[in-house]
Amino acid sequence: MSLWQASLIGIFAYLGRNQVPWFFGTTGGWYGIGRPLVAGGICGFILGDIYLGIFCGILIQALYIGQITPGSAMHSDVNLASFVGISIAISSHTHPEVAVMLAIPLGLLGVYLNQLTMSAQVCFSKKAMTYAETGDARKIRWINICGTSISFLERFSVVLLLCYFGSPVITKVLEIVPEVVVYFLVISGRVIPLIGFSMLLNQIINEGWMMVLFLFGWLMCFIFKLSMLHLILVAFFISIIYLLAYTKGCSETILVQQDTLQRNNIEEEGDYEE
Amino acid sequence: MRSDKELKLSKKDIWLASWRWIFFALSTQNYEYMMGTGFAHSLSGSLEKLYEHDQVGLSKALKRHVTFFNTEPQLGSIIPGIVLSLEEEYANNQDNQEPSAILQTKNVLMGPIASLGDSFLVGMVNPILLSIAIGLSANGSLLGLIVFLILWIVLVIFIRHFLFIKGYLLGLDAIKILKNEKIKNKIVQVVTVFGLIVIGGATVVTSEVITSTQFLFDKNGMTMQKIMEQPMFGFISIFILLTYYFFLSKKKWSFVRLVCASLLAVAIILLFQIL
């Protein structure tokens, strides 16, 4: 890929980074354009192959769909993994599964980079402390906005270098290695994305019977070939029915509770009378 | 000494503080103060107005808020709202109140709201919307991610702004919005039911994407590839997924361990094929 494409991807990777304010803060950044599916669309658009970009995006998104980042302590840096992994995979015209296999080590690298950046940003907060001492609100605002410059330096330069110098290397490596290795990468890249969904299920399911709902959705799409739009309608109606049943169940249990309470009170009173 | 007229923040001040929180809450996040500087940034404009002729008071108020603060910034926008109303109250009545109550409020609220925001907004709503987006983008179109971006940003920015304004208007009572167990459970349950069905569909779409990308290899004995490029791969994929789920929930395996184990399994099967 050319230099301007790599730097454009670098800028978008910066915009989708965790602490960057410019696109509705963390909502539009990290949880918006930083998601692998959106990153796939953006990289595909810049590199001129939206189709492959979206496919890479879907696979990497499936892998990381169950990742929460509480207190910015993350398992893997989704942003770096998806932007670099997808753009290298597109520019070397390889299989989308290879993007998944590139994303995993890149995600681990991103965790260390993120720790480095967040440690470096302490100096801005220290500076803000001294401004608070003098009561200068304007300068606190200014220094807080300046804090994002370190993330820009880190993310933009790393993505630019990895994309620009990494993609010819990866292309060359994929040509040299025996076909069995590529085959191994592709097969693994097809199996591993399913981990993401199982992590998501593990998070969401808190009662055993809910597994049935997941299997129902799977069955609807797999056997009865429902499209996603139709499935949304079905899911919507089922959740409405569930809501009605749940509300009724709640009020009934409250009635039962009140009933038992009253009964207990009467019994207790009876005891006292004796 | 002090003028008797009551200090009151205008609607514009509150909106400005809310939008500053939406944009700049995290921009100097670090391990020592987390979102402390962003918190001070959000409130700074209103504090300037409250302590317009009182440089010492302004400095004290700013020092209260540049300290450590950490929560989930999206659902947590209710906290700066509440703190702003407390600050206004304190600025009007400095002699009879203790500023330490404001700090305590901040510290008490940030934990529970962070866990609620992480588990509900980030852990459920975002993945569910992404599952829908995967389903809509399955044919390689941009439709899914555009729908995702619009739905997610409009929904969450509305929630963030609404909670901030409510936090300012209701003060400490605003916490009841998030503490209402009955409504909270109802919403979480219904979203869970809706989400699980949609996620079930998204797994099918993902395995369809896998089967549709056919790449030819010259090796004759590559039976694994032949299996994976048949529609029946859906059955195998759900079997693999349930196996992963078993290891995650029952054996408590970590993400990296699962990745390594599946790489090993694929390698072993490949070795058997070649030999």
Side-chain angles (χ1 to χ4, degrees), chain A residues 19 27 121 125 133 144 242, chain B residues 27-29 37 41 160 189:
Chain A
Q19 284 97 15
T27 308
Q121 277 169 342
S125 281
E133 207 80 50
N144 190 39
Y242 179 79
Chain B
S27 72
T28 325
Q29 194 188 25
T37 317
H41 181 167
R160 279 178 97 164
Q189 290 278 338

Side-chain angles (χ1 to χ4, degrees), chain B residues 7 20 22 38 44-46 54 61 71 76 89 124 145 153 171 178 180 185 212 216 230 249 262:
Chain B
L7 295 162
R20 273 181 180 147
I22 287 171
S44 60
S46 313
D54 185 3
T71 188
E89 212 177 290
M124 278 172 68
L145 55 103
I153 288 177
L178 297 180
N180 192 336
N185 284 343
S212 71
L216 294 172
Q230 273 164 14
S249 60
S262 37

Side-chain angles (χ1 to χ4, degrees), chain B residues 156-181:
Chain B
V156 175
I157 293 297
F158 173 76
I159 291 176
R160 279 178 97 164
H161 189 63
F162 172 81
L163 284 179
F164 193 100
I165 302 289
K166 274 285 171 233
Y168 171 74
L169 291 178
L170 300 178
L172 275 176
D173 290 338
I175 267 317
K176 283 178 190 155
I177 301 175
L178 297 180
K179 272 276 157 66
N180 192 336
E181 290 288 331

Side-chain angles (χ1 to χ4, degrees), chain B residues 1-2 89-98:
Chain B
M1 200 175 91
R2 277 173 50 78
E89 212 177 290
Y90 174 69
N92 279 317
N93 198 0
Q94 283 189 6
D95 306 325
N96 305 333
Q97 279 184 334
E98 281 290 317

Side-chain angles (χ1 to χ4, degrees), chain A residues 20-96:
Chain A
V20 174
W22 308 122
F23 196 60
F24 296 103
T26 188
T27 308
W30 180 248
Y31 295 117
I33 53 178
R35 297 286 102 179
L37 181 62
V38 185
I42 292 170
C43 290
F45 189 76
I46 292 171
L47 296 171
D49 193 347
I50 294 177
Y51 199 69
L52 190 55
I54 295 266
F55 273 12
C56 295
I58 287 178
L59 289 181
I60 297 180
Q61 183 60 69
L63 174 61
Y64 288 125
I65 202 165
Q67 289 236 346
I68 328 178
T69 54
S72 57
M74 39 192 176
H75 306 289
S76 19
D77 191 332
V78 179
N79 176 285
L80 190 78
S82 47
F83 273 98
V84 178
I86 292 171
S87 43
I88 288 179
I90 294 175
S91 66
S92 53
H93 300 291
T94 172
H95 319 289

Side-chain angles (χ1 to χ4, degrees), chain A residues 43-209:
Chain A
C43 290
F45 189 76
I46 292 171
L47 296 171
D49 193 347
I50 294 177
Y51 199 69
L52 190 55
I54 295 266
F55 273 12
C56 295
I58 287 178
L59 289 181
I60 297 180
Q61 183 60 69
L63 174 61
Y64 288 125
I65 202 165
Q67 289 236 346
I68 328 178
T69 54
S72 57
M74 39 192 176
H75 306 289
S76 19
D77 191 332
V78 179
N79 176 285
L80 190 78
S82 47
F83 273 98
V84 178
I86 292 171
S87 43
I88 288 179
I90 294 175
S91 66
S92 53
H93 300 291
T94 172
H95 319 289
E97 290 88 349
V98 176
V100 178
M101 300 311 287
L102 287 171
I104 294 167
L106 284 167
L108 297 178
L109 171 72
V111 174
Y112 293 107
L113 287 174
N114 188 51
Q115 280 172 1
L116 210 68
T117 314
M118 270 180 65
S119 307
Q121 277 169 342
V122 170
C123 64
F124 290 97
S125 281
K126 288 244 155 69
K127 202 87 185 144
M129 278 300 229
T130 63
Y131 289 140
E133 207 80 50
T134 56
D136 199 338
R138 261 182 77 89
K139 279 197 175 147
I140 287 185
R141 288 199 284 273
W142 190 74
I143 205 80
N144 190 39
I145 296 171
C146 280
T148 190
S149 61
I150 289 188
S151 0
F152 177 73
L153 281 180
E154 180 246 293
R155 193 49 41 120
F156 179 74
S157 58
V158 167
V159 171
L160 178 67
L161 291 176
L162 281 178
C163 284
Y164 190 66
F165 294 109
S167 67
V169 174
I170 297 289
T171 316
K172 200 82 201 154
V173 166
L174 286 175
E175 278 171 14
I176 292 171
V177 293
E179 203 180 24
V180 175
V181 177
V182 182
Y183 187 72
F184 169 70
L185 289 178
V186 170
I187 297 290
S188 317
R190 290 176 174 189
V191 177
I192 284 176
L194 296 169
I195 294 177
F197 284 115
S198 62
M199 283 178 87
L200 186 60
L201 287 181
N202 193 25
Q203 266 170 43
I204 291 183
I205 291 180
N206 43 21
E207 292 163 48
W209 64 269

